[in-house]
Amino acid sequence: MEIKGQALEDYLAENPVDDEYQPLRTYFPDEGVNSVEIIPENINSWKMFFYGAIKINGVGIGPILITPTGQHYLATTRLWFFCTNNNAEYKACIMIMNMAVDLDVQELLIMGDFDIIIRQTQDEWKSCDIKLIPYRQHVEDLCKQFKSVEFKHIPRFDNEPAAALAIVASILSYPGNVHIDPL
């Protein structure tokens, strides 16, 4: 926006600064950051996003697999049993890891916004829930089928497409005994 010099002078003349003037104090959460490091992405690495949603109607999972060239493989399914958020998140992760194995993926970056799953797979946290141990073990076994696997925690905002798939799967009802396979 351009301000004419005379208009600015008129405004300052009409609104003089007195002794009670306090400058505006604004909080910038990253004001101490003076540089950002760009980490080059591995061009051979596939990316995976996963999410599990529990709603009153059911449990849905919505993983997404992205090729190095940007092609997206979307998957969604509704679980036919109720479980915890942790179980649903693990099921979503396992489902897409199985798809990656079927597609002969060698390098995989797995991203999710559910901190407990990411931290457990990175061996930073241990599971106290006995029901999660088989899920964790299955993910560990699947990791051995890749050349390299990396788990990364991301903000929920960055995981919205996978969340949308999972929510849709959790609220839609499927007729009869229809079985829907991953895409």
Side-chain angles (χ1 to χ4, degrees), residues 41-42 45-52 62-67 72 89-90 92-94 96-97 107-115 117-119 121-122 139 149-163:
E41 291 188 27
N42 183 342
S45 183
W46 290 52
K47 296 177 186 171
M48 180 189 109
F49 296 86
F50 67 96
Y51 192 87
I64 299 173
L65 187 62
I66 305 171
T67 69
H72 288 60
E89 291 281 336
Y90 265 119
C93 184
I94 289 167
I96 203 73
M97 287 180 79
E107 298 177 18
L108 186 60
L109 172 60
I110 301 172
M111 296 175 277
D113 62 34
F114 215 64
D115 206 27
I117 305 301
I118 300 298
R119 300 292 181 231
T121 54
Q122 293 173 330
V139 168
V149 176
E150 180 185 347
F151 290 87
K152 182 179 177 184
H153 182 265
I154 59 173
R156 179 129 190 218
F157 176 80
D158 293 336
N159 206 24
E160 284 181 350

Side-chain angles (χ1 to χ4, degrees), residues 121-140:
T121 54
Q122 293 173 330
D123 287 329
E124 293 177 13
W125 294 352
K126 299 294 178 197
S127 176
C128 297
D129 186 352
I130 192 120
K131 295 175 192 169
L132 292 182
I133 294 172
Y135 290 100
R136 170 68 185 107
Q137 184 60 50
H138 194 67
V139 168
E140 221 173 83

Side-chain angles (χ1 to χ4, degrees), residues 62-79:
I64 299 173
L65 187 62
I66 305 171
T67 69
T69 60
Q71 183 177 0
H72 288 60
Y73 290 94
L74 308 177
T76 185
T77 192
R78 185 173 181 174
L79 302 182

